[in-house]
Amino acid sequence: MALFSSIMDFLANILVGAIHLSLIDSNKFVLVTYSIFLKRIYNIWAGFTRTTYADPFIVRLHGVRVRGELRQLRQRLEIAKDPGVLKCRGRNEEFRKRSPMVDDRVLDIVKRIGLEGLYRTPFRELDHNLITAFVERWRPETHTFHLPHGEMTITLQDVEVLLGIPIDGEAIVGTCALKWAVECQEMLGIVTNSVVLKGQRIQIKKLLEKIDQGLPDGAEEVVVHQYARCYILALLGDTIFADKSGDRVHTMWLQMLRDLHNPPRYSWGSACLAWLYRKLCRATDKNASQIGGALILVQYWAWSRFPFLCPRMDLPPDGAYGLPLPSSPLSIK
């Protein structure tokens, strides 16, 4: 009897599997003559419950539920259309074409707030295919990349080592309930309109126009600080806080740049990583077609963790061209 029961269970499982694969029409299946074998199949389908269906009408009702579950299963197992490679929003084209900032008054402020490493981080053309491949491995539930050999993720240590920005200090928090047009005029020296400032995001192009004007010799401290904020805000929006627009940056970062004479030490690395995690999670949506955030960090991280992905570069030995450079972000190497 036990052998007969095992055989019946085996056949029942095969039949249920055939229904899953649409090899058997479930509509006709529920109209089959009620039998002990059919009872066993429905019991297996219901999750190996102890319930027995003595009434054919109950069997039909259960069959309706089965058909509904099969329909949902087919929808879930539908092969989605490949969305293709994500459009990676990297550095602003106009910002990238400009020469590096050389005004010592501005660079002193950049060093003072802890963003010298970001200023010195070199730009490389983003590998859209590489970043898309890692996005496909990203799991929002754990904020990790699920790779064949295990889970990996970008950590605060990676941010500090690769980009050279601080991960210690005060948390970057603030409010969005400000009059941003007034803030831009006071802190950036830029008069905005509905085109230049949309909501809380300002055009990077407008910041670059301000930078192109240059700083006159003997400029007042207020003017120097406004000029420096324009450059720093454009730098932040061009690297670690890039959004999907590609040509705008959020003005909420101005709250951290209010005091440039004696600025607090902020954890820019923590904000960078949190922003990147958010962008990676949003990019996992099947309808996503582009991604923002510190994608240059993702690329440098992939190159450092998987050296076979990194372009080959033959570097000269240390000291070949004079004294070695001071400590710098690993991304320079």
Side-chain angles (χ1 to χ4, degrees):
M1 187 64 184
L3 178 61
F4 176 75
S5 179
S6 299
I7 294 174
M8 295 294 286
D9 286 341
F10 175 71
L11 294 175
N13 278 293
I14 292 177
L15 192 51
V16 171
I19 296 174
H20 271 291
L21 299 175
S22 299
L23 300 178
I24 295 178
D25 188 350
S26 59
N27 296 323
K28 296 180 180 178
F29 174 73
V30 294
L31 299 178
V32 176
T33 306
Y34 186 72
S35 64
I36 298 177
F37 181 58
L38 191 57
K39 284 197 300 181
R40 187 177 296 275
I41 291 172
Y42 281 125
N43 289 337
I44 292 174
W45 183 265
F48 299 96
T49 63
R50 295 182 179 179
T51 308
T52 57
Y53 302 98
D55 188 348
F57 178 69
I58 297 178
V59 174
R60 290 191 180 91
L61 290 179
H62 187 59
V64 171
R65 184 175 69 84
V66 170
R67 289 199 300 273
E69 291 179 355
L70 286 172
R71 191 180 305 112
Q72 295 176 6
L73 180 64
R74 281 193 290 266
Q75 292 174 354
R76 288 196 300 268
L77 295 180
E78 230 176 30
I79 300 176
K81 185 179 179 182
D82 184 7
V85 179
L86 289 171
K87 185 175 183 180
C88 301
R89 292 295 188 177
R91 301 195 69 172
N92 181 273
E93 191 67 24
E94 295 184 16
F95 190 90
R96 187 161 53 114
K97 291 178 180 178
R98 280 168 168 73
S99 302
M101 175 61 64
V102 294
D103 195 311
D104 291 335
R105 292 170 292 181
V106 177
L107 295 181
D108 287 342
I109 294 175
V110 172
K111 295 176 183 178
R112 209 177 298 159
I113 63 176
L115 293 179
E116 181 185 7
L118 193 62
Y119 163 76
R120 299 180 61 189
T121 297
F123 173 74
R124 294 296 300 269
E125 195 71 30
L126 290 176
D127 189 337
H128 296 218
N129 294 284
L130 175 65
I131 293 173
T132 302
F134 274 94
V135 169
E136 291 175 351
R137 293 284 184 172
W138 181 259
R139 293 296 178 269
E141 301 84 4
T142 57
H143 288 167
T144 56
F145 297 106
H146 283 222
L147 303 173
H149 60 274
E151 296 183 41
M152 295 182 69
T153 193
I154 304 173
T155 64
L156 284 174
Q157 183 182 22
D158 294 319
V159 177
E160 184 180 34
V161 172
L162 291 171
L163 299 183
I165 56 180
I167 60 174
D168 299 319
E170 298 183 22
I172 296 184
V173 294
T175 178
C176 292
L178 296 174
K179 296 181 179 179
W180 297 107
V182 177
E183 293 291 319
C184 289
Q185 187 169 358
E186 292 180 356
M187 300 184 67
L188 300 176
I190 297 176
V191 179
T192 61
N193 53 39
S194 58
V195 177
V196 174
L197 184 67
K198 282 188 177 181
Q200 302 166 2
R201 300 183 304 160
I202 190 172
Q203 284 182 333
I204 295 180
K205 179 181 178 180
K206 195 66 177 178
L207 298 174
L208 297 179
E209 290 177 0
K210 178 80 173 180
I211 295 171
D212 289 342
Q213 295 175 8
L215 267 179
D217 295 333
E220 296 182 1
E221 186 179 62
V222 175
V223 177
V224 174
H225 285 187
Q226 287 179 342
Y227 185 87
R229 290 190 192 100
C230 287
Y231 176 76
I232 294 170
L233 192 61
L235 181 65
L236 292 174
D238 186 63
T239 51
I240 60 177
F241 297 130
D243 63 11
K244 292 189 292 186
S245 68
D247 62 348
R248 293 182 179 272
V249 59
H250 209 294
T251 51
M252 61 183 176
W253 314 115
L254 286 175
Q255 299 173 73
M256 285 74 238
L257 306 176
R258 192 175 297 278
D259 182 9
L260 296 182
H261 184 70
N262 188 24
R265 185 73 171 181
Y266 286 108
S267 178
W268 291 102
S270 302
C272 167
L273 194 60
W275 187 274
L276 177 61
Y277 279 7
R278 184 184 185 187
K279 296 299 182 180
L280 286 171
C281 291
R282 290 184 173 181
T284 58
D285 186 273
K286 64 179 181 179
N287 297 319
S289 59
Q290 52 186 345
I291 180 176
L295 300 181
I296 193 68
L297 172 62
V298 178
Q299 184 157 307
Y300 284 141
W301 176 83
W303 286 355
S304 65
R305 299 298 181 184
F306 306 94
F308 60 89
L309 297 175
C310 181
R312 179 179 174 82
M313 295 182 65
D314 296 322
L315 299 177
D318 292 339
Y321 299 100
L323 296 175
L325 294 172
S327 59
S328 57
L330 182 63
S331 57
I332 291 180
K333 298 180 181 180

PDB file of all heavy atoms in Angstrom, residues 295-308:
ATOM      1  N   LEU A 295      28.807  57.274 -10.260  1.00  0.00           N
ATOM      2  CA  LEU A 295      29.103  56.119 -11.106  1.00  0.00           C
ATOM      3  C   LEU A 295      30.598  55.954 -11.339  1.00  0.00           C
ATOM      4  O   LEU A 295      31.071  54.844 -11.591  1.00  0.00           O
ATOM      5  CB  LEU A 295      28.368  56.253 -12.440  1.00  0.00           C
ATOM      6  CG  LEU A 295      26.839  56.328 -12.328  1.00  0.00           C
ATOM      7  CD1 LEU A 295      26.213  56.431 -13.717  1.00  0.00           C
ATOM      8  CD2 LEU A 295      26.291  55.121 -11.592  1.00  0.00           C
ATOM      9  N   ILE A 296      31.339  57.047 -11.254  1.00  0.00           N
ATOM     10  CA  ILE A 296      32.792  56.926 -11.383  1.00  0.00           C
ATOM     11  C   ILE A 296      33.341  56.116 -10.218  1.00  0.00           C
ATOM     12  O   ILE A 296      34.329  55.377 -10.365  1.00  0.00           O
ATOM     13  CB  ILE A 296      33.438  58.332 -11.464  1.00  0.00           C
ATOM     14  CG1 ILE A 296      34.886  58.227 -11.916  1.00  0.00           C
ATOM     15  CG2 ILE A 296      33.335  59.056 -10.136  1.00  0.00           C
ATOM     16  CD1 ILE A 296      35.050  57.782 -13.344  1.00  0.00           C
ATOM     17  N   LEU A 297      32.676  56.199  -9.058  1.00  0.00           N
ATOM     18  CA  LEU A 297      33.069  55.391  -7.906  1.00  0.00           C
ATOM     19  C   LEU A 297      32.800  53.912  -8.172  1.00  0.00           C
ATOM     20  O   LEU A 297      33.631  53.049  -7.840  1.00  0.00           O
ATOM     21  CB  LEU A 297      32.315  55.858  -6.658  1.00  0.00           C
ATOM     22  CG  LEU A 297      32.456  54.996  -5.398  1.00  0.00           C
ATOM     23  CD1 LEU A 297      33.907  54.943  -4.939  1.00  0.00           C
ATOM     24  CD2 LEU A 297      31.550  55.523  -4.283  1.00  0.00           C
ATOM     25  N   VAL A 298      31.654  53.604  -8.767  1.00  0.00           N
ATOM     26  CA  VAL A 298      31.326  52.215  -9.101  1.00  0.00           C
ATOM     27  C   VAL A 298      32.368  51.647 -10.054  1.00  0.00           C
ATOM     28  O   VAL A 298      32.842  50.512  -9.885  1.00  0.00           O
ATOM     29  CB  VAL A 298      29.918  52.119  -9.729  1.00  0.00           C
ATOM     30  CG1 VAL A 298      29.604  50.687 -10.125  1.00  0.00           C
ATOM     31  CG2 VAL A 298      28.863  52.652  -8.768  1.00  0.00           C
ATOM     32  N   GLN A 299      32.762  52.451 -11.035  1.00  0.00           N
ATOM     33  CA  GLN A 299      33.721  51.959 -12.022  1.00  0.00           C
ATOM     34  C   GLN A 299      35.090  51.745 -11.403  1.00  0.00           C
ATOM     35  O   GLN A 299      35.726  50.708 -11.638  1.00  0.00           O
ATOM     36  CB  GLN A 299      33.814  52.958 -13.179  1.00  0.00           C
ATOM     37  CG  GLN A 299      34.701  52.495 -14.312  1.00  0.00           C
ATOM     38  CD  GLN A 299      34.356  53.184 -15.618  1.00  0.00           C
ATOM     39  OE1 GLN A 299      33.213  53.193 -16.046  1.00  0.00           O
ATOM     40  NE2 GLN A 299      35.349  53.777 -16.245  1.00  0.00           N
ATOM     41  N   TYR A 300      35.564  52.701 -10.598  1.00  0.00           N
ATOM     42  CA  TYR A 300      36.862  52.541  -9.950  1.00  0.00           C
ATOM     43  C   TYR A 300      36.838  51.379  -8.953  1.00  0.00           C
ATOM     44  O   TYR A 300      37.829  50.661  -8.796  1.00  0.00           O
ATOM     45  CB  TYR A 300      37.262  53.835  -9.240  1.00  0.00           C
ATOM     46  CG  TYR A 300      37.756  54.919 -10.166  1.00  0.00           C
ATOM     47  CD1 TYR A 300      37.419  56.257  -9.973  1.00  0.00           C
ATOM     48  CD2 TYR A 300      38.574  54.614 -11.257  1.00  0.00           C
ATOM     49  CE1 TYR A 300      37.874  57.254 -10.817  1.00  0.00           C
ATOM     50  CE2 TYR A 300      39.031  55.601 -12.113  1.00  0.00           C
ATOM     51  CZ  TYR A 300      38.677  56.921 -11.885  1.00  0.00           C
ATOM     52  OH  TYR A 300      39.130  57.897 -12.737  1.00  0.00           O
ATOM     53  N   TRP A 301      35.710  51.200  -8.279  1.00  0.00           N
ATOM     54  CA  TRP A 301      35.585  50.085  -7.336  1.00  0.00           C
ATOM     55  C   TRP A 301      35.659  48.746  -8.077  1.00  0.00           C
ATOM     56  O   TRP A 301      36.340  47.819  -7.626  1.00  0.00           O
ATOM     57  CB  TRP A 301      34.262  50.196  -6.589  1.00  0.00           C
ATOM     58  CG  TRP A 301      33.989  49.050  -5.667  1.00  0.00           C
ATOM     59  CD1 TRP A 301      34.439  48.874  -4.385  1.00  0.00           C
ATOM     60  CD2 TRP A 301      33.192  47.890  -5.957  1.00  0.00           C
ATOM     61  NE1 TRP A 301      33.983  47.683  -3.864  1.00  0.00           N
ATOM     62  CE2 TRP A 301      33.209  47.064  -4.804  1.00  0.00           C
ATOM     63  CE3 TRP A 301      32.467  47.470  -7.061  1.00  0.00           C
ATOM     64  CZ2 TRP A 301      32.533  45.842  -4.746  1.00  0.00           C
ATOM     65  CZ3 TRP A 301      31.793  46.260  -7.008  1.00  0.00           C
ATOM     66  CH2 TRP A 301      31.829  45.462  -5.858  1.00  0.00           C
ATOM     67  N   ALA A 302      34.963  48.658  -9.197  1.00  0.00           N
ATOM     68  CA  ALA A 302      34.998  47.418  -9.987  1.00  0.00           C
ATOM     69  C   ALA A 302      36.407  47.133 -10.484  1.00  0.00           C
ATOM     70  O   ALA A 302      36.872  45.984 -10.469  1.00  0.00           O
ATOM     71  CB  ALA A 302      34.023  47.513 -11.154  1.00  0.00           C
ATOM     72  N   TRP A 303      37.111  48.162 -10.912  1.00  0.00           N
ATOM     73  CA  TRP A 303      38.481  47.971 -11.394  1.00  0.00           C
ATOM     74  C   TRP A 303      39.422  47.532 -10.279  1.00  0.00           C
ATOM     75  O   TRP A 303      40.328  46.729 -10.509  1.00  0.00           O
ATOM     76  CB  TRP A 303      38.990  49.270 -12.025  1.00  0.00           C
ATOM     77  CG  TRP A 303      38.387  49.556 -13.360  1.00  0.00           C
ATOM     78  CD1 TRP A 303      37.549  48.754 -14.081  1.00  0.00           C
ATOM     79  CD2 TRP A 303      38.563  50.734 -14.139  1.00  0.00           C
ATOM     80  NE1 TRP A 303      37.193  49.358 -15.251  1.00  0.00           N
ATOM     81  CE2 TRP A 303      37.795  50.576 -15.324  1.00  0.00           C
ATOM     82  CE3 TRP A 303      39.264  51.922 -13.967  1.00  0.00           C
ATOM     83  CZ2 TRP A 303      37.746  51.549 -16.314  1.00  0.00           C
ATOM     84  CZ3 TRP A 303      39.216  52.896 -14.944  1.00  0.00           C
ATOM     85  CH2 TRP A 303      38.468  52.716 -16.122  1.00  0.00           C
ATOM     86  N   SER A 304      39.220  48.082  -9.071  1.00  0.00           N
ATOM     87  CA  SER A 304      40.114  47.740  -7.967  1.00  0.00           C
ATOM     88  C   SER A 304      39.832  46.350  -7.418  1.00  0.00           C
ATOM     89  O   SER A 304      40.746  45.633  -7.011  1.00  0.00           O
ATOM     90  CB  SER A 304      39.992  48.785  -6.847  1.00  0.00           C
ATOM     91  OG  SER A 304      38.695  48.766  -6.271  1.00  0.00           O
ATOM     92  N   ARG A 305      38.548  45.951  -7.401  1.00  0.00           N
ATOM     93  CA  ARG A 305      38.193  44.631  -6.873  1.00  0.00           C
ATOM     94  C   ARG A 305      38.348  43.524  -7.902  1.00  0.00           C
ATOM     95  O   ARG A 305      38.555  42.365  -7.555  1.00  0.00           O
ATOM     96  CB  ARG A 305      36.744  44.656  -6.370  1.00  0.00           C
ATOM     97  CG  ARG A 305      36.488  45.643  -5.235  1.00  0.00           C
ATOM     98  CD  ARG A 305      37.310  45.311  -4.005  1.00  0.00           C
ATOM     99  NE  ARG A 305      37.045  46.242  -2.912  1.00  0.00           N
ATOM    100  CZ  ARG A 305      37.677  46.222  -1.757  1.00  0.00           C
ATOM    101  NH1 ARG A 305      38.607  45.314  -1.544  1.00  0.00           N
ATOM    102  NH2 ARG A 305      37.387  47.113  -0.806  1.00  0.00           N
ATOM    103  N   PHE A 306      38.221  43.866  -9.157  1.00  0.00           N
ATOM    104  CA  PHE A 306      38.358  42.891 -10.247  1.00  0.00           C
ATOM    105  C   PHE A 306      39.388  43.442 -11.240  1.00  0.00           C
ATOM    106  O   PHE A 306      39.009  44.021 -12.265  1.00  0.00           O
ATOM    107  CB  PHE A 306      37.017  42.642 -10.932  1.00  0.00           C
ATOM    108  CG  PHE A 306      35.918  42.241  -9.996  1.00  0.00           C
ATOM    109  CD1 PHE A 306      35.051  43.188  -9.456  1.00  0.00           C
ATOM    110  CD2 PHE A 306      35.757  40.915  -9.623  1.00  0.00           C
ATOM    111  CE1 PHE A 306      34.045  42.813  -8.588  1.00  0.00           C
ATOM    112  CE2 PHE A 306      34.759  40.535  -8.746  1.00  0.00           C
ATOM    113  CZ  PHE A 306      33.902  41.490  -8.223  1.00  0.00           C
ATOM    114  N   PRO A 307      40.666  43.287 -10.928  1.00  0.00           N
ATOM    115  CA  PRO A 307      41.724  43.917 -11.752  1.00  0.00           C
ATOM    116  C   PRO A 307      41.678  43.514 -13.218  1.00  0.00           C
ATOM    117  O   PRO A 307      42.141  44.271 -14.071  1.00  0.00           O
ATOM    118  CB  PRO A 307      43.012  43.428 -11.079  1.00  0.00           C
ATOM    119  CG  PRO A 307      42.614  43.082  -9.676  1.00  0.00           C
ATOM    120  CD  PRO A 307      41.211  42.575  -9.763  1.00  0.00           C
ATOM    121  N   PHE A 308      41.144  42.343 -13.515  1.00  0.00           N
ATOM    122  CA  PHE A 308      41.106  41.918 -14.926  1.00  0.00           C
ATOM    123  C   PHE A 308      40.142  42.772 -15.746  1.00  0.00           C
ATOM    124  O   PHE A 308      40.170  42.729 -16.986  1.00  0.00           O
ATOM    125  CB  PHE A 308      40.714  40.440 -15.026  1.00  0.00           C
ATOM    126  CG  PHE A 308      39.368  40.114 -14.446  1.00  0.00           C
ATOM    127  CD1 PHE A 308      38.220  40.190 -15.214  1.00  0.00           C
ATOM    128  CD2 PHE A 308      39.248  39.742 -13.112  1.00  0.00           C
ATOM    129  CE1 PHE A 308      36.978  39.891 -14.685  1.00  0.00           C
ATOM    130  CE2 PHE A 308      38.000  39.437 -12.573  1.00  0.00           C
ATOM    131  CZ  PHE A 308      36.874  39.515 -13.349  1.00  0.00           C
TER     132      PHE A 308
END
